[in-house]
Amino acid sequence: MNAWSNPNPNPNPKAQQEMTAWRKELKDSGAQPDKNMTGYQFFIGENRLALGILFPDTPGSELVAMANELWHSMEGGTLRAWYDRMGKEDKRRFQREKRVFDGLSDVEIES
């Protein structure tokens, strides 16, 4: 066996293609739960628009950089804690929905 060969080749490549197509169809159908967002993503989503209104001629990448600076300046603040809490709640939501999607019981998820 050389370095390029697969140690566990699929004996039925058609079955693998069907599984890949099934996963893509499932993902595109919207049945899968949406991935969780972090506190940072919530912050950026809310504040990028406000920065765009304040600085209308600034490119989007610079607006995100400005929002990033704001995020880092909030280290340890109550507003930052609020966004972090939003991210943790969304993570629990994702874990709960994922367990249901995977067919497992909906038990309490540790944070």
Side-chain angles (χ1 to χ4, degrees), residues 40-106:
Y40 176 76
Q41 290 170 320
F42 280 114
F43 174 78
I44 292 294
E46 289 181 4
N47 291 290
R48 183 170 177 225
L49 179 61
L51 287 171
I53 292 169
L54 290 173
F55 305 101
D57 296 330
T58 306
S61 58
E62 288 183 31
L63 292 175
V64 172
M66 291 167 71
N68 189 30
E69 288 177 23
L70 285 171
W71 174 256
H72 288 293
S73 70
M74 294 188 326
E75 191 71 38
T78 56
L79 188 58
R80 169 104 179 233
W82 184 73
Y83 282 111
D84 285 337
R85 189 170 41 252
M86 285 176 61
K88 288 177 184 174
E89 288 173 7
D90 198 48
K91 182 175 182 177
R92 284 193 290 275
R93 183 240 1 125
F94 171 73
Q95 289 172 336
R96 196 172 43 252
E97 290 178 5
K98 178 106 169 81
R99 290 184 67 79
V100 170
F101 178 75
D102 290 341
L104 303 173
S105 63
D106 189 18

